[in-house]
Amino acid sequence: MVEDRSWTARTLSTVNYTFMIMLSLLCVLPLIHIWAISLSSNMAVSSGAVTLWPADFTLDAYRYVLGKPDFLRSLGVTTKRVLIGVPINLLLVVLMAYPLSKERNVFPWRTVYAWFTVFTMLVHGGLIPTYMTIRETGIMNSVWALILPGAVPVFSVVLLLNFFRQLPKELEEAAFIDGAGHFTLLFRIIIPLSLPALATITLFSTVGHWNAWFDGMIFMKSPEHYPLQTYLRTIIIELDLTSLGSEDAIRLAENVSERTTRAAQIFLGSLPILLVYPFLQKYFMKGIVMGSVKG
Amino acid sequence: MKLKKKGAVLLAGTMAMVAVLSACSNGGNGGGADPAQLTAPQNTASATNTHSSPDAPITVTMALSQAVNTTFPEGESMENNLWTRTLLEESNIQIKSEWTVDESQYTEKLNVAIASGDLPDVFQVSGTQLQQLVEADMLADLTDVYKENISPLADGKLREDGSVGLDAVTFDGKLLALPYTTATMDGSTMLWVRKDWLNRLGLPEPKTIDDVLAISKAFKNDDPDGDGKDDTVGIGFRKDLFSHFGGIKGFVNGFHAYSTWIEDEESGQLVNGAIQPEMKEALTKLQEMYKSGEIDQEFSVKGTTQLQEDIASGRVGMVFGAMAEPLANLNPSVLNDPEAVWECYPLPSVDDQPAKPQTDSMPPFYFVVSKQSEHPEAIIKMMNLNVEKWFGETADAKFDYDNGFPTHKYFTVRTYGARKNLDNYLKINEALKTGDTSGLNPGQLGNYNQVKQYLDGDKSMWNYAKIFGPEGSLGIVNKYVNEDLLLPNSYQGIPTSTIVKLTSTTGDITDQALMKIILGDPIESFDTFVENWKKLGGDEITAEVNDWYAKHKS
């Protein structure tokens, strides 16, 4: 690629770069727009004067949001969910991927288990049965209803078991000869070697927990227990006023939340997860590429 | 061989750990709901109370819909607030939340609850959900408890719509729900115009559709804001064609075209207004206006927020809307530009017949009781108390707002009646003339004070004054009512499941076809659309609608 500087190659890379830059702009601009709105005055926003740079700069929206119990409470729920949910995800994924990565002569039922696992990726229980299961197990309205149903992310298991498989067999044999058992092998040798893959899985699982909103709406019995995204959805959704009574419409128009505060909450809500990316990014590419190629 | 065995051991170990883990998780749940309580909450809760002393409160489980921006004093919630405490004190009913959800997600969540058979005692439903529950026989018969318990005041409020709502929820002589009776007249559209632009260009006030077309042309071409730039449009529309604010409803009504069910004068049958020739005529005009740039070229992707922006930044000279538009939709314009003057006019007509604004005729939602409930009378008592606290002798402003908290949003089973805003308008203007405010109830007094502040020079109260004040938009609603101009949807039944199923298709093709024609499809494609509409379920719907009509016509 470096030595070949022909006309076609240069055109190709120009087109390529232009396309990629456009694509990144498509992703970034809405966020910048939201950021600009959150720092502008209501008046400037409602007259459409704000696009990518704040007009009539003010921090009012942030002051209001940070003093608002609902936002902080739901942020708390989500933080708790991530802190409990991600370690559980990781532990279960590792413990599941390790045996499934063994050869069939080592673990004879491997194929059966593997298919059983993959099957759950293809076929879901459906909303109503899931709801009833959660209800009957009695974890409704607790943080466990958000964590346990998705405790084993199968995609991550597949990713990790492929990563495990491409690790040199010799390491394993050497460890066994030196008297290591499976747990020693897994925790002292394989895991330290799999950090890129684990980082990737951590990222998937963190983002997944952070962004999930539907389960919060279905499994929580009151808005006080909503995770962040479920809460955010309640403030950004555009209510269809024609379906409400007109008196309610009047009341709503009186109280409708300002776009600036909505923008501030959306921005604050995505900030933590944005901050995670740079730290895990360097592992990310490596992890997903190596995990996906069977060695 | 040995390795094989080890693998098996490891597997067993893994399984055991998973089991332990999930067991821990279940145990860790602790304070959460226990399964027994979840399976049969209402039965256990109310059964214990039925046979105890008469003074013990009856417990009613409810699904609670929490309105946007509902705030509570510290420690309170939808389950425990001014309203629930009043209900306990005065009617001896203890409300228990089966679940509470934000109103934007209520329907979805209730659908899951209905499908899994997990119903609370008392809850709110949409027309579609009501039909499902009636067909599944899951609702309590309220006929007798209604007769025995309803207060004359509440009965009167529920019947203010001419009993349309109560009739619709009576299935085979059995009352299966309470309607949320509301002022459908408040949804009638009128024309909002920038009066300052009219004056600047020396144009007359709009009386006919021809006036509207002339004004629209002038607003587009003659630089009504005087900034020397071609940056204005004639009429502001948005992507939802039949919405109150920024819809084409008011415009097509001027052509005597409707999107509702109307009676055909010749046959006496109900027909769908959207497929009548009058609609074609109205669309032709809209298409012309779109071509000449009098309608925003991007209106088909604009929502409320974008139209609000365009209005606030002085790009829009006219917009069709309801009486409530000054509150949020027009106010930014007036705040932004002190010179902006918005005036409202009755719908202009295309000929010498006055235009009739179409309105809905059905309540937007209903309140029902599960068949399992032991206390079907509780819902009636809730309704009685709500009406009493808002409109009765003991009405108090604290049930509207209390220390800045929107207490009116705590009421779950409720009704405003069909004339509340209009009554307020009439009472307020009466009081403004006489100066005697003793006849006003707390809600009216609140609006009265806002109008008074505006008349005394506080321009920030413009939005309320433009609705309730002497020149308020409700004056136009009043005119509609007095001159009998409102045209309620003639189909006044709960949509049957066939209608619900087919309407999702016919509704889609209607929206798409009309939008495409406005955007430039040949006008002849309207006829193709009518054919399709009939073929894809329209004929079947019409037949069902007329079945209903034949039964209820008298």
Side-chain angles (χ1 to χ4, degrees), chain B residues 73-118:
Chain B
E74 188 61 37
E76 299 195 354
S77 65
M78 282 303 283
E79 198 182 14
N80 168 30
N81 53 51
L82 180 68
W83 160 239
T84 61
R85 285 191 301 271
T86 313
L87 193 64
L88 182 59
E89 280 160 26
E90 301 198 11
S91 302
N92 212 24
I93 295 171
Q94 174 74 56
I95 287 183
K96 214 172 148 298
S97 159
E98 177 75 8
W99 43 264
T100 305
V101 72
D102 186 85
E103 71 178 335
S104 57
Q105 299 167 348
Y106 181 82
T107 308
E108 213 166 346
K109 176 122 179 164
L110 184 64
N111 281 338
V112 175
I114 292 176
S116 68
D118 193 17

Short mmCIF file of all heavy atoms in Angstrom, two decimals, chain B residues 73-118:
data_model
loop_
_atom_site.label_atom_id
_atom_site.label_comp_id
_atom_site.label_asym_id
_atom_site.label_seq_id
_atom_site.Cartn_x
_atom_site.Cartn_y
_atom_site.Cartn_z
N PRO B 73 -43.88 16.24 46.68
CA PRO B 73 -43.12 16.63 47.87
C PRO B 73 -42.27 15.43 48.30
O PRO B 73 -42.60 14.28 48.00
CB PRO B 73 -44.20 16.93 48.91
CG PRO B 73 -45.45 17.13 48.13
CD PRO B 73 -45.33 16.32 46.89
N GLU B 74 -41.18 15.71 49.01
CA GLU B 74 -40.26 14.67 49.46
C GLU B 74 -41.00 13.46 50.04
O GLU B 74 -41.90 13.60 50.87
CB GLU B 74 -39.34 15.28 50.55
CG GLU B 74 -38.20 14.43 51.01
CD GLU B 74 -37.23 14.08 49.88
OE1 GLU B 74 -37.00 14.95 49.03
OE2 GLU B 74 -36.73 12.94 49.88
N GLY B 75 -40.66 12.26 49.57
CA GLY B 75 -41.19 11.04 50.16
C GLY B 75 -42.53 10.60 49.60
O GLY B 75 -43.04 9.57 49.99
N GLU B 76 -43.12 11.38 48.71
CA GLU B 76 -44.42 10.97 48.17
C GLU B 76 -44.27 10.40 46.77
O GLU B 76 -43.23 10.53 46.14
CB GLU B 76 -45.37 12.18 48.16
CG GLU B 76 -45.61 12.72 49.55
CD GLU B 76 -46.81 13.66 49.62
OE1 GLU B 76 -47.37 13.98 48.57
OE2 GLU B 76 -47.16 14.05 50.74
N SER B 77 -45.32 9.73 46.31
CA SER B 77 -45.28 9.11 44.99
C SER B 77 -46.71 9.01 44.47
O SER B 77 -47.64 9.46 45.12
CB SER B 77 -44.67 7.72 45.07
OG SER B 77 -45.52 6.90 45.84
N MET B 78 -46.88 8.39 43.32
CA MET B 78 -48.22 8.21 42.77
C MET B 78 -49.09 7.39 43.74
O MET B 78 -50.30 7.46 43.71
CB MET B 78 -48.15 7.48 41.42
CG MET B 78 -47.73 8.34 40.24
SD MET B 78 -48.77 9.79 39.96
CE MET B 78 -50.23 9.08 39.20
N GLU B 79 -48.44 6.60 44.59
CA GLU B 79 -49.17 5.72 45.48
C GLU B 79 -49.50 6.40 46.81
O GLU B 79 -50.36 5.94 47.55
CB GLU B 79 -48.29 4.48 45.73
CG GLU B 79 -49.03 3.30 46.26
CD GLU B 79 -48.06 2.15 46.51
OE1 GLU B 79 -46.83 2.37 46.51
OE2 GLU B 79 -48.54 1.04 46.73
N ASN B 80 -48.80 7.45 47.11
CA ASN B 80 -48.99 8.12 48.38
C ASN B 80 -48.86 9.62 48.18
O ASN B 80 -47.78 10.15 48.06
CB ASN B 80 -47.94 7.63 49.39
CG ASN B 80 -47.91 8.50 50.63
OD1 ASN B 80 -48.93 9.06 51.03
ND2 ASN B 80 -46.74 8.64 51.23
N ASN B 81 -50.02 10.30 48.11
CA ASN B 81 -49.99 11.74 47.89
C ASN B 81 -51.31 12.35 48.35
O ASN B 81 -52.16 11.65 48.91
CB ASN B 81 -49.74 12.03 46.40
CG ASN B 81 -50.71 11.29 45.52
OD1 ASN B 81 -51.93 11.36 45.73
ND2 ASN B 81 -50.21 10.55 44.55
N LEU B 82 -51.47 13.62 48.09
CA LEU B 82 -52.65 14.33 48.53
C LEU B 82 -53.93 13.61 48.12
O LEU B 82 -54.87 13.45 48.90
CB LEU B 82 -52.63 15.74 47.92
CG LEU B 82 -53.82 16.63 48.28
CD1 LEU B 82 -53.80 16.99 49.74
CD2 LEU B 82 -53.83 17.88 47.41
N TRP B 83 -53.96 13.14 46.88
CA TRP B 83 -55.16 12.49 46.36
C TRP B 83 -55.42 11.15 47.07
O TRP B 83 -56.53 10.89 47.51
CB TRP B 83 -55.02 12.30 44.85
CG TRP B 83 -55.91 11.26 44.24
CD1 TRP B 83 -55.51 10.17 43.55
CD2 TRP B 83 -57.35 11.22 44.25
NE1 TRP B 83 -56.59 9.45 43.14
CE2 TRP B 83 -57.73 10.07 43.55
CE3 TRP B 83 -58.33 12.04 44.81
CZ2 TRP B 83 -59.06 9.71 43.38
CZ3 TRP B 83 -59.66 11.69 44.63
CH2 TRP B 83 -60.01 10.55 43.92
N THR B 84 -54.40 10.31 47.19
CA THR B 84 -54.63 9.00 47.80
C THR B 84 -55.00 9.15 49.28
O THR B 84 -55.82 8.40 49.80
CB THR B 84 -53.40 8.09 47.68
OG1 THR B 84 -52.31 8.70 48.35
CG2 THR B 84 -53.02 7.85 46.22
N ARG B 85 -54.43 10.14 49.92
CA ARG B 85 -54.79 10.35 51.34
C ARG B 85 -56.22 10.85 51.47
O ARG B 85 -56.96 10.43 52.36
CB ARG B 85 -53.80 11.34 52.00
CG ARG B 85 -52.45 10.71 52.27
CD ARG B 85 -51.60 11.63 53.16
NE ARG B 85 -51.37 12.94 52.56
CZ ARG B 85 -50.34 13.20 51.75
NH1 ARG B 85 -49.46 12.27 51.47
NH2 ARG B 85 -50.19 14.40 51.23
N THR B 86 -56.62 11.75 50.58
CA THR B 86 -58.00 12.23 50.61
C THR B 86 -58.96 11.08 50.36
O THR B 86 -60.00 10.96 51.01
CB THR B 86 -58.20 13.32 49.53
OG1 THR B 86 -57.13 14.24 49.61
CG2 THR B 86 -59.51 14.03 49.72
N LEU B 87 -58.59 10.22 49.42
CA LEU B 87 -59.43 9.07 49.10
C LEU B 87 -59.57 8.15 50.30
O LEU B 87 -60.66 7.63 50.59
CB LEU B 87 -58.81 8.31 47.92
CG LEU B 87 -59.66 7.28 47.22
CD1 LEU B 87 -60.87 7.92 46.57
CD2 LEU B 87 -58.85 6.53 46.18
N LEU B 88 -58.49 7.97 51.04
CA LEU B 88 -58.53 7.11 52.21
C LEU B 88 -59.41 7.73 53.30
O LEU B 88 -60.25 7.07 53.90
CB LEU B 88 -57.11 6.87 52.73
CG LEU B 88 -56.98 5.93 53.93
CD1 LEU B 88 -57.52 4.56 53.60
CD2 LEU B 88 -55.52 5.83 54.37
N GLU B 89 -59.23 9.04 53.51
CA GLU B 89 -59.99 9.70 54.57
C GLU B 89 -61.47 9.77 54.25
O GLU B 89 -62.32 9.49 55.09
CB GLU B 89 -59.47 11.14 54.76
CG GLU B 89 -58.22 11.23 55.59
CD GLU B 89 -57.48 12.55 55.34
OE1 GLU B 89 -58.16 13.53 54.96
OE2 GLU B 89 -56.26 12.59 55.52
N GLU B 90 -61.80 10.15 53.02
CA GLU B 90 -63.20 10.44 52.73
C GLU B 90 -63.97 9.26 52.16
O GLU B 90 -65.18 9.17 52.31
CB GLU B 90 -63.30 11.65 51.78
CG GLU B 90 -62.62 12.87 52.40
CD GLU B 90 -63.04 14.17 51.74
OE1 GLU B 90 -63.99 14.16 50.94
OE2 GLU B 90 -62.40 15.19 52.04
N SER B 91 -63.28 8.37 51.46
CA SER B 91 -64.02 7.25 50.85
C SER B 91 -63.56 5.90 51.38
O SER B 91 -64.06 4.86 50.97
CB SER B 91 -63.85 7.25 49.33
OG SER B 91 -64.30 8.47 48.80
N ASN B 92 -62.59 5.92 52.30
CA ASN B 92 -62.12 4.68 52.92
C ASN B 92 -61.54 3.70 51.90
O ASN B 92 -61.77 2.50 52.00
CB ASN B 92 -63.27 4.03 53.69
CG ASN B 92 -62.75 3.29 54.91
OD1 ASN B 92 -61.66 3.61 55.41
ND2 ASN B 92 -63.49 2.32 55.37
N ILE B 93 -60.85 4.23 50.91
CA ILE B 93 -60.23 3.37 49.90
C ILE B 93 -58.73 3.57 49.93
O ILE B 93 -58.24 4.70 49.88
CB ILE B 93 -60.76 3.70 48.49
CG1 ILE B 93 -62.25 3.39 48.40
CG2 ILE B 93 -59.98 2.93 47.43
CD1 ILE B 93 -62.89 3.88 47.12
N GLN B 94 -58.01 2.47 50.07
CA GLN B 94 -56.54 2.53 50.07
C GLN B 94 -56.04 2.09 48.69
O GLN B 94 -56.29 0.96 48.27
CB GLN B 94 -56.00 1.59 51.16
CG GLN B 94 -54.49 1.45 51.18
CD GLN B 94 -53.80 2.69 51.74
OE1 GLN B 94 -54.08 3.11 52.85
NE2 GLN B 94 -52.91 3.27 50.95
N ILE B 95 -55.34 2.99 48.01
CA ILE B 95 -54.81 2.62 46.70
C ILE B 95 -53.45 1.97 46.86
O ILE B 95 -52.61 2.44 47.63
CB ILE B 95 -54.66 3.88 45.80
CG1 ILE B 95 -56.04 4.33 45.34
CG2 ILE B 95 -53.80 3.57 44.58
CD1 ILE B 95 -56.00 5.49 44.40
N LYS B 96 -53.27 0.87 46.14
CA LYS B 96 -51.98 0.20 46.16
C LYS B 96 -51.51 0.11 44.72
O LYS B 96 -52.27 -0.28 43.84
CB LYS B 96 -52.16 -1.19 46.75
CG LYS B 96 -50.99 -1.67 47.55
CD LYS B 96 -51.33 -2.96 48.24
CE LYS B 96 -50.10 -3.83 48.38
NZ LYS B 96 -49.50 -4.22 47.10
N SER B 97 -50.27 0.49 44.48
CA SER B 97 -49.77 0.46 43.11
C SER B 97 -49.35 -0.94 42.74
O SER B 97 -48.48 -1.53 43.36
CB SER B 97 -48.58 1.41 42.97
OG SER B 97 -47.80 1.06 41.86
N GLU B 98 -50.00 -1.51 41.73
CA GLU B 98 -49.54 -2.80 41.19
C GLU B 98 -48.25 -2.52 40.41
O GLU B 98 -47.27 -3.20 40.56
CB GLU B 98 -50.61 -3.37 40.27
CG GLU B 98 -50.25 -4.65 39.59
CD GLU B 98 -50.29 -5.86 40.51
OE1 GLU B 98 -50.76 -5.71 41.64
OE2 GLU B 98 -49.84 -6.93 40.08
N TRP B 99 -48.29 -1.49 39.61
CA TRP B 99 -47.09 -0.90 39.04
C TRP B 99 -47.40 0.52 38.61
O TRP B 99 -48.55 0.88 38.37
CB TRP B 99 -46.51 -1.71 37.89
CG TRP B 99 -47.48 -2.25 36.88
CD1 TRP B 99 -48.01 -3.52 36.87
CD2 TRP B 99 -48.06 -1.59 35.74
NE1 TRP B 99 -48.86 -3.67 35.81
CE2 TRP B 99 -48.91 -2.51 35.09
CE3 TRP B 99 -47.93 -0.31 35.21
CZ2 TRP B 99 -49.64 -2.19 33.95
CZ3 TRP B 99 -48.66 0.01 34.06
CH2 TRP B 99 -49.50 -0.93 33.45
N THR B 100 -46.37 1.33 38.54
CA THR B 100 -46.50 2.71 38.11
C THR B 100 -45.55 2.91 36.95
O THR B 100 -44.44 2.41 36.98
CB THR B 100 -46.10 3.67 39.25
OG1 THR B 100 -46.88 3.35 40.39
CG2 THR B 100 -46.33 5.11 38.86
N VAL B 101 -46.02 3.60 35.92
CA VAL B 101 -45.13 3.76 34.77
C VAL B 101 -45.36 5.14 34.18
O VAL B 101 -46.43 5.73 34.34
CB VAL B 101 -45.40 2.65 33.74
CG1 VAL B 101 -46.71 2.86 33.03
CG2 VAL B 101 -44.27 2.53 32.72
N ASP B 102 -44.34 5.65 33.52
CA ASP B 102 -44.48 6.93 32.85
C ASP B 102 -45.54 6.81 31.76
O ASP B 102 -45.66 5.79 31.10
CB ASP B 102 -43.13 7.29 32.23
CG ASP B 102 -43.14 8.67 31.64
OD1 ASP B 102 -42.91 9.61 32.41
OD2 ASP B 102 -43.43 8.82 30.44
N GLU B 103 -46.33 7.87 31.57
CA GLU B 103 -47.48 7.74 30.66
C GLU B 103 -47.08 7.42 29.23
O GLU B 103 -47.84 6.79 28.51
CB GLU B 103 -48.36 8.99 30.71
CG GLU B 103 -47.74 10.21 30.07
CD GLU B 103 -48.69 11.40 30.12
OE1 GLU B 103 -49.90 11.19 30.20
OE2 GLU B 103 -48.20 12.54 30.09
N SER B 104 -45.87 7.81 28.84
CA SER B 104 -45.45 7.52 27.47
C SER B 104 -45.29 6.02 27.25
O SER B 104 -45.26 5.55 26.13
CB SER B 104 -44.14 8.25 27.16
OG SER B 104 -43.16 7.87 28.09
N GLN B 105 -45.13 5.26 28.33
CA GLN B 105 -44.89 3.83 28.19
C GLN B 105 -46.04 3.00 28.74
O GLN B 105 -45.97 1.78 28.82
CB GLN B 105 -43.58 3.47 28.91
CG GLN B 105 -42.42 4.21 28.31
CD GLN B 105 -41.17 4.16 29.15
OE1 GLN B 105 -41.21 3.76 30.31
NE2 GLN B 105 -40.07 4.58 28.59
N TYR B 106 -47.11 3.70 29.12
CA TYR B 106 -48.21 3.02 29.79
C TYR B 106 -48.85 1.95 28.92
O TYR B 106 -49.04 0.81 29.33
CB TYR B 106 -49.26 4.04 30.24
CG TYR B 106 -50.42 3.42 30.97
CD1 TYR B 106 -50.33 3.13 32.32
CD2 TYR B 106 -51.60 3.11 30.30
CE1 TYR B 106 -51.38 2.55 32.98
CE2 TYR B 106 -52.66 2.54 30.96
CZ TYR B 106 -52.55 2.26 32.30
OH TYR B 106 -53.59 1.67 32.96
N THR B 107 -49.20 2.32 27.67
CA THR B 107 -49.92 1.39 26.79
C THR B 107 -49.12 0.11 26.57
O THR B 107 -49.65 -0.99 26.68
CB THR B 107 -50.20 2.07 25.45
OG1 THR B 107 -50.83 3.32 25.71
CG2 THR B 107 -51.10 1.23 24.59
N GLU B 108 -47.83 0.30 26.31
CA GLU B 108 -46.96 -0.84 26.06
C GLU B 108 -46.91 -1.78 27.27
O GLU B 108 -47.07 -2.98 27.16
CB GLU B 108 -45.56 -0.30 25.78
CG GLU B 108 -44.77 -1.10 24.80
CD GLU B 108 -43.54 -0.31 24.33
OE1 GLU B 108 -43.47 0.92 24.57
OE2 GLU B 108 -42.66 -0.93 23.75
N LYS B 109 -46.73 -1.18 28.41
CA LYS B 109 -46.62 -1.96 29.63
C LYS B 109 -47.95 -2.66 29.95
O LYS B 109 -47.97 -3.81 30.37
CB LYS B 109 -46.20 -1.04 30.78
CG LYS B 109 -46.14 -1.73 32.12
CD LYS B 109 -44.79 -1.63 32.77
CE LYS B 109 -44.83 -2.33 34.11
NZ LYS B 109 -43.53 -2.60 34.65
N LEU B 110 -49.04 -1.95 29.73
CA LEU B 110 -50.34 -2.55 30.00
C LEU B 110 -50.60 -3.72 29.05
O LEU B 110 -51.18 -4.73 29.45
CB LEU B 110 -51.46 -1.51 29.90
CG LEU B 110 -52.85 -2.04 30.27
CD1 LEU B 110 -52.91 -2.45 31.73
CD2 LEU B 110 -53.93 -1.02 29.98
N ASN B 111 -50.16 -3.59 27.80
CA ASN B 111 -50.33 -4.70 26.86
C ASN B 111 -49.65 -5.96 27.38
O ASN B 111 -50.20 -7.05 27.27
CB ASN B 111 -49.75 -4.33 25.49
CG ASN B 111 -50.69 -3.45 24.70
OD1 ASN B 111 -51.90 -3.43 24.96
ND2 ASN B 111 -50.16 -2.70 23.75
N VAL B 112 -48.45 -5.81 27.93
CA VAL B 112 -47.75 -6.97 28.50
C VAL B 112 -48.55 -7.54 29.66
O VAL B 112 -48.75 -8.75 29.77
CB VAL B 112 -46.34 -6.56 28.97
CG1 VAL B 112 -45.67 -7.73 29.66
CG2 VAL B 112 -45.51 -6.08 27.81
N ALA B 113 -49.05 -6.66 30.51
CA ALA B 113 -49.81 -7.11 31.67
C ALA B 113 -51.09 -7.83 31.24
O ALA B 113 -51.44 -8.88 31.78
CB ALA B 113 -50.14 -5.92 32.57
N ILE B 114 -51.77 -7.30 30.23
CA ILE B 114 -52.99 -7.94 29.76
C ILE B 114 -52.68 -9.32 29.19
O ILE B 114 -53.33 -10.32 29.50
CB ILE B 114 -53.69 -7.07 28.68
CG1 ILE B 114 -54.24 -5.78 29.29
CG2 ILE B 114 -54.83 -7.84 28.02
CD1 ILE B 114 -54.86 -4.83 28.29
N ALA B 115 -51.63 -9.39 28.38
CA ALA B 115 -51.27 -10.66 27.73
C ALA B 115 -50.89 -11.72 28.75
O ALA B 115 -51.15 -12.90 28.56
CB ALA B 115 -50.13 -10.44 26.74
N SER B 116 -50.28 -11.30 29.85
CA SER B 116 -49.87 -12.30 30.84
C SER B 116 -50.94 -12.49 31.90
O SER B 116 -50.74 -13.20 32.87
CB SER B 116 -48.55 -11.88 31.48
OG SER B 116 -48.76 -10.73 32.28
N GLY B 117 -52.09 -11.88 31.71
CA GLY B 117 -53.20 -12.09 32.64
C GLY B 117 -52.97 -11.50 34.01
O GLY B 117 -53.58 -11.93 34.98
N ASP B 118 -52.12 -10.52 34.11
CA ASP B 118 -51.70 -9.99 35.40
C ASP B 118 -52.35 -8.62 35.62
O ASP B 118 -51.69 -7.61 35.57
CB ASP B 118 -50.16 -9.85 35.36
CG ASP B 118 -49.58 -9.60 36.72
OD1 ASP B 118 -50.29 -9.84 37.71
OD2 ASP B 118 -48.42 -9.16 36.79
#
